[in-house]
Amino acid sequence: MFNLTYEFKLKPTVAQVTIFEDWLEQCRRVYNWALAERKDWFKSRSCQINTCSIRAEYLIPADRTRPTYASQCKGLTQARATIPALKAVQVHVLQQTLKRLERAFVNMWEQKHGFPRFKKVGKMRYDCISSDGSRTYQK
């Protein structure tokens, strides 16, 4: 069977480029926030009980569960209610960012990849599939 595919290149205006860069910056901040939350949780449980220093270790309550994609999506919903910059970005784009972090952790455990790293300013790459199957933006 012969399939035809069409590929279109975006040619955004200067105003659209600034909007897209702001979206990428918000995605980077969400990614780093979620990574910091997971990293703090792992650090709080990584030391042995007889060698932990109260001053040097993270102290997170023992009854707090491990941060997962679902729990961080709930936290994202709460953050969107209080942070106006997050309201400008569609919620599924931010959830894709959290899913990307979840995939990085799965790759770390299953495929022996390294621990996920924080994203620097201007270095966030993004490729999201929207609900209708088309790509929203790629940088």
Side-chain angles (χ1 to χ4, degrees):
M1 177 173 243
F2 184 65
N3 290 331
L4 292 177
T5 59
Y6 296 97
E7 187 173 308
F8 298 97
K9 182 175 182 178
L10 290 177
K11 295 182 181 177
T13 63
V14 176
Q16 290 171 331
V17 168
T18 57
I19 290 171
F20 290 154
E21 287 176 351
D22 182 54
W23 286 2
L24 288 173
E25 179 61 22
Q26 297 310 319
C27 287
R28 183 189 70 84
R29 289 180 180 173
V30 167
Y31 184 92
N32 287 346
W33 162 76
L35 179 58
E37 186 178 34
R38 288 179 182 225
K39 196 171 184 179
D40 289 346
W41 189 89
F42 282 118
K43 281 187 175 182
S44 72
R45 279 132 177 94
S46 65
C47 67
Q48 297 176 358
I49 194 70
N50 61 349
T51 60
C52 278
S53 169
I54 292 176
R55 283 177 266 160
E57 299 297 328
Y58 291 93
L59 296 177
I60 295 178
D63 60 343
R64 186 162 167 210
T65 59
R66 179 178 64 88
T68 60
Y69 170 73
S71 68
Q72 288 184 326
C73 280
K74 288 179 185 176
L76 178 63
T77 303
Q78 295 168 353
R80 279 177 53 92
T82 58
I83 302 171
L86 291 178
K87 290 181 183 178
V89 185
Q90 295 178 2
V91 70
H92 78 275
V93 174
L94 297 174
Q95 287 175 347
Q96 267 316 104
T97 304
L98 292 178
K99 190 169 287 276
R100 188 171 160 184
L101 179 65
E102 180 74 20
R103 193 175 332 116
F105 271 91
V106 168
N107 289 342
M108 178 186 75
W109 295 116
E110 292 179 359
Q111 299 177 3
K112 305 295 184 198
H113 289 210
F115 199 86
R117 297 181 181 177
F118 290 102
K119 303 295 182 191
K120 296 179 183 177
V121 176
K123 298 294 182 186
M124 185 72 175
R125 292 182 59 232
Y126 191 72
D127 184 17
C128 179
I129 307 298
S130 67
S131 59
D132 63 350
S134 61
R135 294 181 187 274
T136 55
Y137 182 68
Q138 182 176 0
K139 182 176 180 182

